[in-house]
């Protein structure tokens, strides 16, 4: 059992778990099936942690394991690579999936079939982060996609089927363009692995010229569709708002980040990739701002959170794009990439927490509209929560996303502003921070006590069902992770930097001092500006503008129009730059 | 196509996205670079030696790039179980015993809601076994003649559907039972995972051929994989198609 | 050269069908046409360098490139799985809204209380 | 020969998208995959031909017909 076999454990253990779950579903009646399902999930989500911590020391020392599956020769086989980046994405994936699955014990879809598809999705996450072969990336993204279509549709809400249908159609079309891009690169280089393609393109005159640039932009556009960057985010709000709470936590936390880091592997090796990274970075910064503005306008709580995921993804992609443009071997690039991954991880934690807490509250209260719902704290209290766990966890999540000092949101946003120093992206992100604060004050209004006493006590008949213990456990777990990663931020960022640098260990820490006056001052400005913006927004004209933004015309072919224009823009940018 | 009240904005959207797509596709479709024969030359000479399969496509498909095939079987598995759970949650009365609820075991009588025609009985009833045999042939000889796990599995599935359609009386063969097909599919998936892991103890690594040490020709590993995938795909798609033939109220 | 032009036309018909057709079943038709057009493109391009099927019988020389064929096996099966799932979802959408027209579905489902 | 089949494929796909009755669309689609299976056979790709015939014409036609049978046939759009 040497090292090169163990790296496949994060992919294979969830698969073994899903096999067990399917066997339990086929062979046993409900009682036996539940027992097997729990053991399957224990194997699928529990054991990989042991493997990850076993691999950590060797990853920290920068060892990279790259091998051909089935050790075939001749460059025909599928090549796999396990390094710091893959370890980090696995860590992110398993932590959020574990917390989300515990949540589904309380509320949300159950059953061995659901757990099996959930485990297959986790296995696909681990495989996508490790693959260094273009067609294998296609298959992994398809497995990821089909698992998430089924999981979104498992919430049995009518709107969820529409969201799953449009997500399916758009990413199936994007994957066809991925295949066309793959054809272009295979025709030029005769190989499917990233090294083969990169070496093939270097030999060709002008680096493969027009065909290579356009094929690369096709592939990048198809993967960017799943990352919901600026023009291509149309499918995300419905999908994340209408999926079951645990699934939207996994979707927002992990599923829109893994393709981004899988794309990193392509863009680092292939010379033209730098230009794609730069353009996606610019698009990311724009997304951060636009996402927050639309989020501010939303009525439905989960849709507000979904648009926030888009804006936070904008933060991550802007830092990631600048890192790819600067090149990962340079110190600046490394700092940017570390800041980007830090924010990706912290965002997964607090966004997952927010989705779970808001989901529980709106389920209990039966009302999802931010303007109508009030006094959720009392509803939660009546719902059997002696100690207000959900309220406390919501506060942790909200303060984290608003970048309040002790919590992890503050640390990652400080890292981002440190990495960007004073470039124009930093001001975009700063403005987006203000918008975030305003929208989360608006969201927290659902917990404010009832002002109008005439609000009839909720009809006696509908006693809100109890808040299940497992819901509280998953929320507390995520809240603790948020607080801990906030406090130990500088040490975690050092570990992330070492893992990403694969060998060249840079000694200086990312944010020299996290709580420098300059950072604290910036936070104070953000909070005050946020409150001011919130007050402006709740005025009469403010509401009119917001409702204008909210019901802007959105239709099915709009998704495809934005996809084709985004791809065309990327191709133009590549041709112009080369 | 009769032009209806398509708004100008709608037509503008369509034309814009079509031209953008056309502009992006032209360089890839019309690049004058000749197709690389790098991989073809390598496989032509040592494809047969290394993987032992005469049919190069199945040597790639189950030997060199076996991990893609594993991903593909998982996609199929998720699609089948997802489709069944989406349909059965809608309250549609599936063919007996196919619904989520584990109804008590009872004989599976013919699918009602069909007007039985003589043609249907003769064609499907008699053709069922023949199609099944052809499917098994495709599966087992996948490495010599064109065919393989997937194609064989799908043909076996259509054989199962033929027999389910053709059985007039209550003489339902065990093959059409919902439980049996689900069991075959689950065990097939288990054996596939075990087969792909079987290389690790021998030190040949993940998806390594456990028999490559011994003098047995490596093609046996491909035959085993072919049959496992064939049974799994056949049971899975058969399960889905029979469930779909259920009565619609 | 003519084959590539015809294939681009087939691809655009598929893409047009997905965008413009209102009926979601027709969108799924168009998706499977789009998928088939890429598969045909791969096999057509791959078969230009050889004159024999990739079955290594005795003395078979100058074989067609088997790599795109193996890839397209996977692509076809994935395309059919996506189509089957899309049809199951379309079926559920029909049971809720009793129509296949995407705009009506959007109207009915968009502002219903989630 | 391949050009002829490609032209036929284009005609079939246009008919699939434009026919009012969805059942005619399905039949045209299964003819589409049968023809592309023949095209693959001509282009020395027997494996892909069998897959396209079995999976494309076989399974997807069954699923389409089931979808139409359980809902409605006429395309009012």
């Amino acid at each position: 059992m040497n090292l090169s076999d163990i790296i496949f454990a994060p992919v294979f253990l969830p698969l073994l778990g899903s096999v067990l779950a399917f066997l339990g579903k086929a062979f046993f009646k409900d009682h036996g099936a539940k027992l097997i399902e729990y053991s399957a999930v224990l194997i699928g989500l529990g054991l990989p942690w042991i493997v990850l911590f076993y691999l950590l020391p060797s990853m920290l020392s920068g060892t990279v394991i790259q091998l051909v599956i089935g050790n075939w020769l001749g460059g025909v086989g599928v090549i796999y690579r396990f390094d710091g980046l893959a370890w980090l994405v696995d860590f992110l994936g398993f932590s959020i999936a574990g917390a989300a699955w515990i949540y589904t014990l309380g509320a949300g879809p159950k059953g061995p079939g659901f757990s099996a598809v959930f485990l297959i999705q986790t296995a696909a996450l681990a495989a996508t982060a490790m693959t260094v072969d273009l067609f294998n990336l296609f298959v992994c993204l398809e497995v990821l996609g089909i698992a998430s279509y089924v999981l979104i549709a498992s919430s049995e809400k009518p709107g969820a089927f529409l969201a799953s249908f449009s997500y399916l159609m758009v990413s199936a079309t994007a994957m066809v363009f991925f295949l066309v891009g793959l054809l272009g690169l295979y025709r030029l280089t005769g190989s499917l692995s990233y090294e083969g393609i990169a070496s093939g393109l270097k030999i060709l005159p002008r680096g493969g010229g027009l065909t290579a640039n356009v094929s690369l932009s096709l592939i990048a556009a198809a993967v960017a569709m799943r990352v919901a960057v600026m023009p291509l985010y149309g499918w995300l709000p419905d999908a994340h708002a209408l999926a079951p709470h645990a699934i939207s936590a996994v979707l927002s936390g992990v599923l829109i980040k893994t393709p981004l880091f899988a794309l990193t592997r392509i863009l680092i090796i292939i010379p033209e990739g730098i230009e794609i990274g730069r353009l996606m970075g610019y698009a990311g910064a724009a997304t951060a701002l636009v996402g927050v503005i639309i989020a501010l306008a939303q009525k439905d709580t989960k849709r507000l959170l979904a648009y926030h995921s888009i804006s936070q993804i904008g933060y991550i992609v802007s830092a990631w794009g600048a890192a790819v443009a600067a090149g990962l071997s340079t110190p600046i690039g490394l700092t940017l990439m570390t800041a980007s991954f830090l924010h990706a991880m912290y965002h997964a934690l607090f966004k997952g927490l927010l989705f779970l807490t808001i989901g529980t509250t709106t389920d209990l209260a039966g009302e999802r509209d931010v303007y109508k719902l009030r006094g959720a704290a009392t509803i939660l209290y009546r719902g059997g929560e002696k100690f207000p766990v959900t309220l406390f966890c919501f506060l942790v999540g909200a303060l984290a996303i608003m970048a309040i000092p002790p919590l992890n949101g503050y640390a990652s946003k400080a890292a981002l502003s440190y990495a960007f120093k004073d470039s124009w992206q930093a001001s975009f992100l700063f403005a987006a921070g203000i918008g975030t604060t305003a929208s989360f004050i608006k969201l927290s209004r659902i917990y404010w006590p009832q002002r109008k006493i005439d609000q009839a006590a909720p009809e006696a008949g509908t006693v809100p069902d109890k808040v299940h213990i497992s819901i509280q456990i998953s929320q507390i777990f995520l809240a603790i992770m948020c607080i801990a990663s906030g406090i130990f931020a500088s040490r975690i960022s050092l570990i992330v930097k070492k893992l990403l640098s694969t060998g060249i260990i840079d000694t200086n820490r990312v944010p020299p001092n996290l709580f420098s006056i300059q950072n604290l001052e910036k936070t104070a400005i953000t909070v005050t500006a946020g409150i001011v913006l919130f007050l402006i927004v709740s005025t009469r004209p403010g509401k009119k503008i917001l409702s204008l933004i909210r019901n802007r015309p959105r239709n099915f072919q709009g998704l495809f129009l934005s996809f084709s224009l985004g791809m065309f823009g990327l191709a133009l940018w590549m041709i112009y730059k080369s | 196509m009769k032009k209806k009240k398509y708004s100008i904005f709608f037509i503008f959207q369509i034309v814009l996205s079509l031209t953008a797509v056309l502009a992006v596709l032209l360089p890839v479709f019309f690049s004058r670079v000749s197709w690389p024969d790098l991989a073809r030359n390598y496989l032509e000479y040592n494809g047969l030696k290394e993987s032992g399969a005469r049919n190069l496509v199945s040597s790639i498909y189950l030997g060199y790039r076996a991990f893609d095939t594993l991903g593909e079987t998982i996609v199929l598995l998720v699609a089948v179980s997802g489709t069944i759970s989406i349909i059965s949650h809608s309250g549609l009365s599936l063919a007996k015993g196919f619904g989520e609820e584990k109804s008590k075991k009872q004989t599976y009588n013919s699918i009602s809601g069909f007007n039985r025609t003589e043609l249907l009985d003769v064609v499907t009833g008699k053709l069922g076994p023949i199609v099944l045999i052809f499917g098994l042939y495709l599966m087992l000889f996948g490495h010599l003649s064109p065919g393989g796990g997937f194609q064989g599995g799908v043909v076996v599935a259509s054989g199962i559907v033929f027999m389910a359609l053709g059985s007039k009386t209550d003489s339902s063969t065990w093959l059409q039972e919902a439980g049996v097909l689900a069991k075959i599919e689950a065990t097939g998936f288990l054996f596939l995972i075990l087969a792909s892991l079987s290389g690790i103890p021998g030190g040949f690594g993940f998806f390594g051929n456990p028999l490559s040490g011994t003098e047995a020709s490596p093609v046996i590993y491909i035959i085993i994989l072919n049959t496992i995938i064939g049974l799994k795909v056949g049971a899975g798609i058969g399960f889905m198609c029979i469930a779909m033939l259920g009565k619609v109220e | 050269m003519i084959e590539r032009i015809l294939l681009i036309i087939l691809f655009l018909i598929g893409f047009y069908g997905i965008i413009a057709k209102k009926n979601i079943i027709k969108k799924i038709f168009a998706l499977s046409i789009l998928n088939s057009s890429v598969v045909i493109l791969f096999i057509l391009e791959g078969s230009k360098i050889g004159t024999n099927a990739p079955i290594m019988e005795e003395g078979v020389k100058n074989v067609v490139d088997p790599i795109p064929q193996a890839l397209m096996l996977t692509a076809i099966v994935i395309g059919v799985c996506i189509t089957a799932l899309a049809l199951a979802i379309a079926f559920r959408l029909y049971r809720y809204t009793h129509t296949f027209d995407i705009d009506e579905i959007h109207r009915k489902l968009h502002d219903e209380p989630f | 020969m391949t050009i002829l089949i490609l032209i036929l494929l284009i005609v079939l796909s246009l008919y699939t998208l434009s026919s009012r009755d969805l059942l005619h669309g399905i039949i045209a689609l299964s003819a589409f995959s049968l023809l592309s299976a023949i095209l693959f056979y001509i282009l020395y790709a027997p494996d892909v031909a069998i897959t396209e015939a079995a999976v494309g014409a076989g399974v997807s036609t069954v699923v389409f017909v089931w979808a139409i049978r359980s809902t409605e046939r006429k395309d009012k759009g």
Side-chain angles (χ1 to χ4, degrees):
Chain A
M1 279 303 265
N2 50 26
L3 208 55
S4 75
D5 298 332
I6 297 174
I7 61 168
F8 284 103
V11 175
F12 251 84
L13 286 172
L15 277 185
L16 272 177
S18 73
V19 162
L20 266 176
F22 274 118
L23 284 172
K25 183 175 177 199
F27 281 90
F28 294 92
K29 290 296 168 290
D30 39 28
H31 199 60
K34 192 162 283 299
L35 194 67
I36 293 197
E37 180 200 343
Y38 289 163
S39 56
V41 172
L42 196 66
I43 293 172
L45 296 178
L47 289 185
W49 283 104
I50 304 166
V51 173
L52 282 179
F53 287 119
Y54 173 78
L55 286 172
L56 184 58
S58 56
M59 284 304 124
L60 278 177
S61 63
T63 54
V64 170
I65 306 154
Q66 178 151 338
L67 53 91
V68 182
I69 289 191
N71 34 51
W72 301 92
L73 307 172
V76 181
V78 175
I79 301 175
Y80 251 68
R81 174 190 171 95
F82 193 87
D83 57 2
L85 182 64
W87 191 91
L88 285 170
V89 173
D90 285 355
F91 177 82
L92 182 67
F94 282 112
S95 52
I96 301 297
W101 196 83
I102 297 166
Y103 182 87
T104 56
L105 293 178
K110 294 185 186 44
F114 166 76
S115 316
V117 176
F118 190 83
L119 284 170
I120 284 178
Q121 185 183 38
T122 326
L125 285 175
T128 319
M130 268 177 22
T131 173
V132 187
D133 180 276
L134 214 48
F135 190 76
N136 198 261
L137 179 63
F138 169 78
V139 173
C140 290
L141 287 177
E142 285 287 354
V143 174
L144 213 58
I146 204 160
S148 46
Y149 311 143
V150 171
L151 288 175
I152 292 173
S154 69
S155 83
E156 303 300 331
K157 294 197 193 75
F161 289 104
L162 177 63
S164 171
F165 181 78
S166 24
Y167 181 26
L168 182 143
M169 292 302 280
V170 170
S171 41
T173 323
M175 276 306 148
V176 171
F177 283 99
F178 185 99
L179 276 182
V180 173
L182 187 131
L183 175 100
L185 287 181
Y186 180 74
R187 176 202 294 277
L188 289 170
T189 58
S191 132
L192 285 170
S193 67
Y194 298 162
E195 281 85 10
I197 291 172
S199 52
L201 287 181
K202 281 199 192 67
I203 306 161
L204 289 169
R206 282 192 299 109
L210 189 64
T211 321
N213 287 341
V214 172
S215 318
L216 211 56
S217 55
L218 278 172
I219 290 172
V223 176
M225 158 63 69
R226 289 179 180 251
V227 177
V229 191
M230 183 52 201
L232 316 168
Y233 63 87
W235 57 273
L236 189 134
D238 298 340
H240 288 205
L242 294 160
H245 307 313
I247 303 302
S248 25
V250 174
L251 281 175
S252 287
V254 186
L255 229 74
I256 43 179
K257 295 174 185 121
T258 316
L260 189 72
F261 294 113
L263 194 62
T264 325
R265 291 194 192 286
I266 307 177
L267 300 184
I268 297 171
I269 297 177
I270 296 180
E272 290 88 357
I274 293 171
E275 294 317 325
I276 293 186
R278 187 166 288 131
L279 183 69
M280 281 178 78
Y282 298 155
T287 324
L289 206 53
V290 169
V292 161
I293 296 164
I294 305 175
L296 206 56
Q298 290 309 321
K299 232 175 3 138
D300 170 71
T301 49
K302 280 189 83 173
R303 203 177 282 275
L304 186 140
L305 285 178
Y307 274 106
H308 258 294
S309 297
I310 298 175
S311 104
Q312 299 292 326
I313 271 290
Y315 278 79
I316 298 164
V317 169
S318 60
W320 171 84
V324 168
L328 265 191
S329 44
T330 64
I332 314 143
L334 197 55
T335 328
L336 277 164
M337 185 53 101
T338 320
S340 159
F341 190 85
L342 261 179
H343 194 63
M345 192 154 62
Y346 290 170
H347 169 259
L349 291 175
F350 56 71
K351 184 49 64 72
L353 184 60
L354 283 169
F355 263 118
L356 297 184
T357 46
I358 289 290
T360 324
T361 325
T362 44
D363 281 354
L364 274 179
E367 168 64 65
R368 287 176 66 137
D369 189 322
V370 174
Y371 295 111
K372 292 201 189 71
L373 178 57
R374 281 295 173 282
T378 46
I379 295 169
L380 278 172
Y381 182 74
R382 209 172 294 117
E385 269 200 345
K386 293 302 159 276
F387 173 74
V389 170
T390 314
L391 179 62
F392 165 72
C393 296
F394 168 76
L395 284 180
V396 168
L399 294 178
I401 202 167
M402 282 195 262
I404 306 301
L407 289 163
N408 54 9
Y410 172 76
S412 58
K413 283 189 177 157
L416 278 173
S417 53
Y418 169 78
F420 270 121
K421 296 220 175 31
D422 42 22
S423 64
W424 59 275
Q425 284 110 330
S427 46
F428 263 61
L429 299 187
F430 183 69
I434 299 169
T436 321
T437 326
S439 52
F440 269 86
I441 296 170
K442 175 179 170 188
L443 184 64
S444 59
R445 271 199 318 200
I446 61 173
Y447 288 100
W448 291 355
Q450 224 85 5
R451 277 192 305 284
K452 307 180 286 307
I453 305 107
D454 55 33
Q455 172 87 15
E459 313 78 18
T462 63
V463 164
D465 47 4
K466 263 185 59 53
V467 176
H468 196 277
I469 183 71
S470 67
I471 294 177
Q472 291 176 333
I473 295 167
S474 55
Q475 283 170 359
I476 293 171
F477 168 70
L478 282 176
I480 293 166
M481 291 276 273
C482 280
I483 299 165
S485 54
I487 294 161
F488 304 110
S490 49
R491 190 167 311 114
I492 292 174
S493 60
L494 192 61
I495 296 171
V496 167
K497 189 187 248 293
K498 251 192 248 166
L499 283 171
L500 285 176
S501 63
T502 58
I504 342 152
I505 293 132
D506 196 335
T507 50
N508 67 341
R509 300 199 342 258
V510 168
N513 47 7
L514 204 54
F515 299 96
S516 72
I517 300 96
Q518 197 236 354
N519 282 355
L520 287 179
E521 178 193 285
K522 209 187 277 184
T523 324
I525 301 164
T526 335
V527 170
T528 42
I531 296 166
V532 165
L533 183 63
F534 166 69
L535 294 176
I536 298 164
V537 152
S538 40
T539 59
R540 180 95 2 246
K543 278 213 170 66
K544 242 198 299 24
I545 302 164
L546 287 191
S547 61
L548 208 68
I549 298 172
R550 185 167 50 240
N551 358 8
R552 61 201 183 294
R554 282 168 7 128
N555 45 38
F556 190 77
Q557 60 267 19
L559 300 175
F560 293 84
L561 178 67
S562 53
F563 173 68
S564 31
L565 288 182
M567 193 163 45
F568 183 67
L570 197 58
L572 267 185
W573 173 271
M574 286 286 290
I575 297 162
Y576 161 70
K577 275 291 178 180
S578 72
Chain B
M1 282 172 308
K2 179 169 68 51
K3 270 280 165 280
K4 296 207 304 325
K5 33 123 189 72
Y6 283 161
S7 68
I8 306 300
F9 176 64
F10 174 75
I11 297 170
F12 169 70
Q13 272 183 325
I14 303 299
V15 168
L16 193 62
S17 30
L18 280 178
T19 43
V21 160
L22 182 66
V24 171
L25 290 178
L26 288 178
V28 180
F29 270 65
F30 290 97
S31 91
R32 273 173 300 286
V33 179
S34 69
W35 193 259
D37 49 15
L38 188 77
R40 190 272 313 259
N41 299 344
Y42 172 80
L43 282 171
E44 203 169 332
Y45 294 120
N46 21 38
L48 180 57
K49 280 198 296 302
E50 277 182 0
S51 68
R54 201 170 287 284
N55 176 355
L56 284 185
V57 175
S58 40
S59 78
I60 293 171
Y61 168 74
L62 281 172
Y64 293 99
R65 301 188 70 89
F67 197 68
D68 295 346
T69 316
L70 178 69
E72 187 187 333
T73 13
I74 294 171
V75 167
L76 191 87
L77 189 71
V78 171
V80 167
S81 67
T83 314
I84 295 292
S85 76
I86 287 176
I87 297 167
S88 63
H89 281 304
S90 74
L92 165 77
S93 72
L94 291 176
K96 262 190 236 354
F98 274 77
E100 280 299 313
E101 79 298 345
K102 283 282 167 260
S103 58
K104 52 181 176 12
K105 180 103 191 57
Q106 89 288 58
T107 62
Y108 173 84
N109 46 42
S110 71
I111 303 146
S112 54
F114 267 92
N115 34 34
R116 305 217 75 62
T117 60
E118 201 48 43
L119 176 71
L120 182 68
D121 290 348
V122 166
V123 167
T124 53
K126 309 298 180 290
L127 259 181
I130 299 161
V131 172
L132 262 182
I133 294 168
F134 175 62
L136 290 175
Y137 161 75
L138 274 181
M139 234 195 291
L140 294 173
F141 287 81
H143 58 286
L144 295 174
S145 66
F150 272 95
Q151 302 88 336
V154 172
V155 175
V156 161
S158 38
I160 295 172
V161 168
F162 272 18
M163 284 166 36
L165 277 174
S167 62
K168 290 198 289 301
T169 61
D170 277 355
S171 63
S172 63
T173 66
W174 54 271
L175 201 55
Q176 305 147 292
E177 291 293 322
V180 170
L181 291 173
K183 289 190 175 72
I184 296 175
E185 188 186 18
T187 37
F189 192 32
L190 174 72
F191 282 128
L192 181 62
I193 301 282
L194 293 183
S196 53
L197 285 177
S198 60
I200 290 180
F204 307 108
F206 174 55
F207 259 112
N209 184 341
L211 311 169
S212 47
T214 65
E215 80 297 337
S217 122
V219 82
I220 296 173
Y221 187 58
I222 288 189
I223 296 173
I224 298 167
L225 278 180
N226 253 337
T227 36
I228 296 171
I229 293 177
L231 289 177
K232 193 194 120 1
V233 167
I237 296 188
F239 181 76
M240 186 169 74
C241 291
I242 292 185
M244 286 184 174
L245 299 178
K247 185 171 62 59
V248 180
E249 83 279 2
Chain C
M1 184 45 73
I2 306 147
E3 287 142 355
R4 290 180 180 169
I5 297 171
L6 293 174
L7 265 176
I8 263 203
I9 295 169
L10 195 63
F11 191 98
L12 288 178
I13 290 171
F15 194 73
Y16 167 79
I18 289 181
I19 312 174
K21 282 295 158 191
K22 290 286 184 234
N23 185 327
I24 45 178
I25 299 290
K26 288 223 169 122
K27 284 187 192 288
I28 301 172
F29 284 163
L31 184 67
S32 102
I33 291 171
L34 193 71
N35 214 326
S36 305
S37 68
V38 172
V39 169
I40 297 171
L41 173 69
F42 260 88
I43 304 293
L44 194 71
E45 297 296 332
S47 69
K48 289 226 171 12
I49 56 168
T51 55
N52 296 90
I55 314 289
M56 300 308 289
E57 302 298 343
E58 269 62 23
V60 166
K61 277 287 163 282
N62 194 1
V63 163
V64 173
D65 185 358
I67 295 267
Q69 295 182 9
L71 302 185
M72 282 314 108
L73 282 182
T74 317
I76 291 175
V77 174
I78 288 179
V80 171
C81 295
I82 298 269
T83 313
L85 192 64
L87 279 169
I89 294 174
F91 168 69
R92 282 301 290 270
L93 280 175
Y94 185 82
R95 283 184 79 87
Y96 283 119
T97 58
H98 297 295
T99 165
F100 274 143
D101 187 311
I102 192 75
D103 290 340
E104 266 177 62
I105 295 174
H106 251 296
R107 220 173 305 112
K108 280 187 179 154
L109 290 186
H110 232 293
D111 32 39
E112 41 88 30
F114 293 106
Chain D
M1 187 52 183
T2 55
I3 295 165
L4 174 70
I5 293 183
L6 280 174
I7 293 168
L8 265 176
L9 288 180
I10 290 175
V11 167
L12 272 174
S13 61
L14 280 175
Y15 178 70
T16 318
L17 292 180
S18 61
S19 72
R20 302 303 302 210
D21 182 347
L22 294 177
L23 200 58
H24 300 184
I26 297 170
I27 296 164
L29 201 66
S30 55
F32 181 95
S33 27
L34 211 58
L35 260 177
S36 55
I38 295 166
L39 179 65
F40 292 148
Y41 189 74
I42 292 168
L43 295 174
Y44 310 112
D47 276 89
V48 186
I50 296 178
T51 317
E52 178 67 28
V55 170
V59 173
S60 63
T61 313
V62 167
V63 178
F64 271 117
V65 165
W66 164 78
I68 295 302
R69 196 168 67 97
S70 326
T71 49
E72 67 174 12
R73 260 177 69 163
K74 280 286 165 285
D75 167 20
K76 299 187 194 63

